Amino acid sequence: MNEKNLWIHRAKTYWLQASRYIQYMLNSLIYTVIITVVIAAYYYAGWLKTLDSTFPYLFVLAILIASVLTVGKVRTFLREADKVFLLPFEHKLKPYFRLSLIYSTLFHLFYIGLLLLVLFPLYEKYDNATNEMYYISVVVVMMLKIWNLLMSWYIHLMNVRTLHRADLIVRFTINFLFVYFLLAQANILVIALMLMIMISLYMFYKNKFGKKDRILWEQLIKIEENSVASFYRLANLFTDVPHLKSKIKPRKVLTQLIKLLVRKEDGPFAYLYWRTFLRAGDYFGVYVRLLFIGSILILFIPNAYATIAIYFLFLYLSGFQLLSLWKHFDVKILINLYPISLEDRKKQFRNVFQILLIIQSILLSIVILLQTKNFLYELFAFVISVIIIMSYSRIVLKLKR
């Protein structure tokens, strides 16, 4: 067995599959993404002009950069069957995991580079340092990212959840302090002290966790499956993803609310769709995240017309995500044995779909009222959105099978 060829084959297979889904996603939302980026860039530039000398830019930069530095795990492309078939060869797998570390490092360096590029105008506005100083900081931050990935790799060789949480807190604190002192151009002795702490922590992690005699297959496979599932859940918003495994979460408090939302006359499928929305496939998580991001954008963008555009954009994205709920049971044949017609099932799904979007439109329109202080804007947005939601759900569901 050639370990390097095995890793290259695994990575190539994954990206062939992923590239098809990425193409579907771009085809569906390419114009929305372009418009969103243009609007965000325009208002980011305008927001920078409104900032005064009291704005804590170093604190904000350090928080954002430290957050991205702390998260991120090593992709190994391991599969469930590997814990059986690769177990006899685990002493030969060092080249395989070395390639995994190199791949993950390059991948995460791209993200941190993109973030630093976006944050550069904010740094340039306040700091008198030369561009060369910022470029040096970029190189140091990227080395910091490599340190974080190595630490993350060692800590995930230990299957202890409490250790993972403590590790996140420790690394975030170190990342924040290091980035803050670096951008503030603190005394070189302070930077040297931070470096010594990081090197000491790295040696501790390596000696404590990195000298395991055996590979924790379950732990590494779980990390890989979670990474793949996150991408497939995103792709599932745009097209059918047969590889997606449904993950059920208890959410006992939320499921108790179903009794308030579903009446007996709404039918069994309405009840089923509500439970699925709250517990399976992360529909609820995406719905809440879209609501949160949309609210933040509306609050921080001063232009009333732009807030209306964002309001409808995020309602559209939520509706797009909720439509995939209709296909959630396509592979479960026993569901079709229930004595209820397709039209009745569509009607019950439509009720759930409309209620969820109307709840979101009410909450977002309240945010518009808080931002614009103009009741007419809020009323206009809400009335138009309700008309679109009611019409859109009827038209789209007629085409569904």
Side-chain angles (χ1 to χ4, degrees), residues 28-174:
S28 301
L29 276 181
I30 184 67
Y31 296 112
T32 306
V33 170
I34 292 172
I35 292 170
T36 305
V37 170
V38 171
I39 291 175
Y42 175 78
Y43 282 101
Y44 179 52
W47 176 69
L48 286 177
K49 292 176 184 173
T50 64
L51 299 179
D52 56 25
S53 58
T54 60
F55 183 75
Y57 77 101
L58 276 179
F59 181 80
V60 173
L61 286 171
I63 285 282
L64 292 173
I65 295 172
S67 302
V68 178
L69 284 173
T70 307
V71 298
K73 295 168 184 168
V74 175
R75 291 287 307 272
T76 56
F77 300 110
L78 291 178
R79 298 173 184 172
E80 183 69 24
D82 289 345
K83 60 187 176 187
V84 176
F85 294 106
L86 290 184
L87 185 64
F89 308 102
E90 68 174 25
H91 60 286
K92 297 182 178 177
L93 288 177
K94 276 190 177 177
Y96 183 96
F97 291 118
R98 193 177 299 121
L99 283 174
S100 298
L101 277 167
I102 294 170
Y103 166 86
S104 303
T105 301
L106 294 175
F107 205 74
H108 286 284
L109 287 183
F110 171 76
Y111 284 120
I112 195 74
L114 203 62
L115 175 71
L116 294 172
L117 187 67
V118 171
L119 294 178
F120 178 68
L122 178 60
Y123 176 80
E124 191 182 34
K125 178 181 173 71
Y126 286 97
D127 208 285
N128 294 321
T130 59
N131 287 353
E132 286 75 13
M133 185 61 207
Y134 190 75
Y135 299 147
I136 293 171
S137 302
V138 168
V139 173
V140 175
V141 168
M142 287 193 166
M143 291 174 69
L144 204 55
K145 183 64 193 179
I146 296 172
W147 175 79
N148 275 274
L149 275 177
L150 288 172
M151 301 288 278
S152 172
W153 172 252
Y154 287 133
I155 198 70
H156 281 105
L157 294 177
M158 293 292 291
N159 192 15
V160 183
R161 186 172 290 275
T162 51
L163 275 180
H164 298 178
R165 289 173 183 161
D167 166 69
L168 284 175
I169 295 169
V170 170
R171 281 196 291 118
F172 177 80
T173 307
I174 292 175

Side-chain angles (χ1 to χ4, degrees), residues 42-43 46-47 50 297-307 371-372:
Y42 175 78
Y43 282 101
W47 176 69
T50 64
L297 288 175
I298 289 172
L299 278 176
F300 281 92
I301 291 180
N303 187 292
Y305 297 111
T307 58
Q371 206 281 340
T372 62

